[in-house]
Amino acid sequence: MVQFHGGGWVSGSNDSVANDFFCRRIAKLCDSVVVAVGYRLAPESRYPAAFEDGFKVLNWLAKQANLAECSKSLGIKKCDGGHKHIVDSFGASMVEPWLAAHGNLSRL
């Protein structure tokens, strides 16, 4: 689940106590991973900065899901924990390790 904190793009924070409580509760009730998006706020960052930040997060998640799916079909290398991942030229997993271990990217 992707969560954008409230505040009308001008106030609030994804790491506030209230937002943390909300995300943890949703994660537990829905049995899902919650990605709380931190975005730039107005007026320091002009429109459409917050939307651009959110779009970058959605693209990153889509890339993670795509890499995880490709890893399953290719099965070219096992990383720590026994999970198969596509690796870069240095042998590092291109799939975010924590997300791959705890999230079901096929549900994205």
Side-chain angles (χ1 to χ4, degrees):
M1 178 180 151
V2 180
Q3 190 266 348
F4 295 87
H5 65 82
W9 312 113
V10 296
S11 67
S13 172
N14 68 321
D15 60 357
S16 69
V17 173
N19 195 64
D20 182 64
F21 176 78
F22 173 78
C23 290
R24 289 176 186 272
R25 184 157 170 81
I26 292 296
K28 185 175 181 178
L29 290 173
C30 297
D31 189 30
S32 66
V33 173
V34 176
V35 176
V37 178
Y39 52 82
R40 293 173 285 170
L41 301 175
E44 294 84 6
S45 300
R46 295 180 57 145
Y47 174 85
F51 293 103
E52 291 169 346
D53 294 348
F55 191 67
K56 285 179 185 177
V57 169
L58 294 175
N59 281 329
W60 179 81
L61 281 171
K63 182 179 176 184
Q64 293 298 306
N66 188 38
L67 288 170
E69 189 59 36
C70 289
S71 294
K72 275 195 259 178
S73 62
L74 294 175
I76 55 177
K77 185 163 181 169
K78 284 192 175 193
C79 295
D80 294 333
H83 298 286
K84 294 180 182 180
H85 300 297
I86 293 177
V87 295
D88 65 13
S89 59
F90 297 107
S93 174
M94 292 177 65
V95 178
E96 179 67 34
W98 187 92
L99 190 59
H102 296 89
N104 181 354
L105 295 173
S106 66
R107 292 173 51 186
L108 287 177

